[in-house]
Amino acid sequence: MSTAIDSFLAMMAAERGAAPNTLAAYRRDLEGSEDAVGDLLAAGRDDLLSLSGEWASLAPSTVARKISALRQFYGFCVDEGLRKDDPATALPRPQTRRPLPKVLSHDEVERMFTQVEKEAGEGKPNAIRLLALFELLYGSGLRASELVSLHVSAVPRDAPFLTITGKGGQQRMVPVSRRAQSAIARWVEVRPDGSKHLFPSRTGHISRIRLYQMVKELAARADIDPAKVSPHVLRHAFATHLLEGGADLRVLQTLLGHADIATTQIYTHVDSARLVALVNERHPLAGGQRGG
């Protein structure tokens, strides 16, 4: 069975550009299902339906992900002639709602900036590094994995852009604010030499887990509940506050590196007040007047 899973994952990597974390998640889901029902290539519709009992305690979003993995796996098996039928058609299509992202207020972000700038002002390399990381998380909306793995070569000297390799190996250009450029320049001056990574560690680059810890610790020092803050929450804040400032949804999609604009649309809920005010102020019927 592992051969079939390996072949499926190889296809996902080669043809769809699935990222390593995505491939690992597919493997866990497929091997977990096989642990429950036995050889997936020999499993029937009833076997797959029995998985509902195994999944009873899981969140709907988790169940939806596992079902998606099985549907794609069996579709691959049929296409490759490994099976003549697709037992995954017996699985339900759960209707899940994407959770609304946590949102930090402008004041909370400002408090964190005040704290990290104060610390960086003392000249310690780790504090200057954190300032550069924080500026890029909130100022450019990078994913944690994109940020920690940045190469020095991704930061051009003569243009306010970063070259980012995102999910599926897709590259995009991300603008960098003057503040972030200044913070990066300060970090480069004190950064250890000898690594291709902008934020190096002894074994390569700093990890996502370490970035997560640093952001939580900064929030606590700024008297903000650490449970509210993470690198991904700062990415959400970047998107939310841009929309509040009038950014176009398609532009935001490009900046965030979303393949599907439906993913970007999750942010529109936070901007409802501004949209209502826009209609009330700018619509031809505003103020009781009709357009010509």
Side-chain angles (χ1 to χ4, degrees):
M1 183 56 219
S2 60
T3 301
I5 291 179
D6 287 342
S7 297
F8 167 70
L9 296 178
M11 179 277 294
M12 292 293 290
E15 297 184 13
R16 303 188 188 179
N21 288 343
T22 302
L23 296 174
Y26 275 119
R27 181 179 291 279
R28 287 194 300 270
D29 287 338
L30 292 172
E31 291 182 346
S33 296
E34 188 172 61
D35 288 342
V37 303
D39 187 351
L40 289 181
L41 278 181
R45 293 168 60 89
D46 290 342
D47 295 318
L48 296 190
L49 285 173
S50 70
L51 287 170
S52 60
E54 298 285 333
W55 298 338
S57 62
L58 301 179
S61 58
T62 302
V63 173
R65 191 195 68 229
K66 291 179 179 294
I67 290 175
S68 174
L70 285 167
R71 286 184 180 278
Q72 293 185 70
F73 171 74
Y74 280 115
F76 167 79
C77 289
V78 171
D79 290 343
E80 294 296 310
L82 300 176
R83 283 191 66 129
K84 293 183 178 179
D85 66 318
D86 181 357
T89 56
L91 294 171
R93 294 184 178 273
Q95 299 296 318
T96 61
R97 295 182 59 187
R98 293 179 63 87
L100 297 179
K102 294 180 181 178
V103 177
L104 290 173
S105 68
H106 291 269
D107 177 67
E108 289 169 324
V109 172
E110 187 59 36
R111 284 161 57 190
M112 293 183 71
F113 265 117
T114 298
Q115 181 65 31
V116 73
E117 287 168 350
K118 174 184 174 183
E119 295 171 2
E122 298 174 2
K124 295 180 179 179
N126 283 351
I128 296 172
R129 179 185 66 178
L130 181 56
L131 175 62
L133 288 165
F134 194 78
E135 285 280 4
L136 288 171
L137 279 172
Y138 177 70
S140 297
L142 301 187
R143 298 180 179 94
S145 58
E146 296 170 344
L147 177 56
V148 298
S149 61
L150 270 177
H151 288 187
V152 175
S153 60
V155 186
R157 297 178 180 273
D158 56 351
F161 291 94
L162 292 175
T163 302
I164 302 298
T165 301
K167 289 186 176 181
Q170 298 296 313
Q171 287 196 332
R172 70 185 190 279
M173 299 293 288
V174 175
V176 180
S177 69
R178 284 188 292 272
R179 287 173 46 136
Q181 285 180 284
S182 175
I184 292 171
R186 289 176 63 184
W187 166 238
V188 168
E189 289 180 0
V190 298
R191 168 186 166 277
D193 294 327
S195 173
K196 65 181 180 181
H197 295 289
L198 183 59
F199 301 104
S201 71
R202 285 175 293 181
T203 58
H205 58 71
I206 63 171
S207 68
R208 291 185 300 165
I209 293 174
R210 181 62 189 131
L211 177 63
Y212 182 91
Q213 293 169 339
M214 288 190 289
V215 169
K216 293 278 188 185
E217 292 164 359
L218 174 61
R221 295 195 299 273
D223 293 324
I224 296 170
D225 181 3
K228 295 181 62 176
V229 186
S230 71
H232 208 60
V233 169
L234 288 168
R235 175 173 158 89
H236 289 322
F238 162 82
T240 300
H241 296 166
L242 270 182
L243 273 180
E244 289 176 350
D248 179 82
L249 202 61
R250 286 288 183 186
V251 171
L252 188 60
Q253 177 190 5
T254 300
L255 294 176
L256 293 173
H258 289 160
D260 188 345
I261 197 170
T263 306
T264 317
Q265 287 172 331
I266 191 68
Y267 294 101
T268 58
H269 80 286
V270 300
D271 209 20
S272 57
R274 188 181 69 86
L275 293 177
V276 170
L278 183 66
V279 169
N280 288 335
E281 294 170 7
R282 304 292 180 83
H283 193 277
L285 293 180
Q289 297 180 356
R290 297 177 184 270

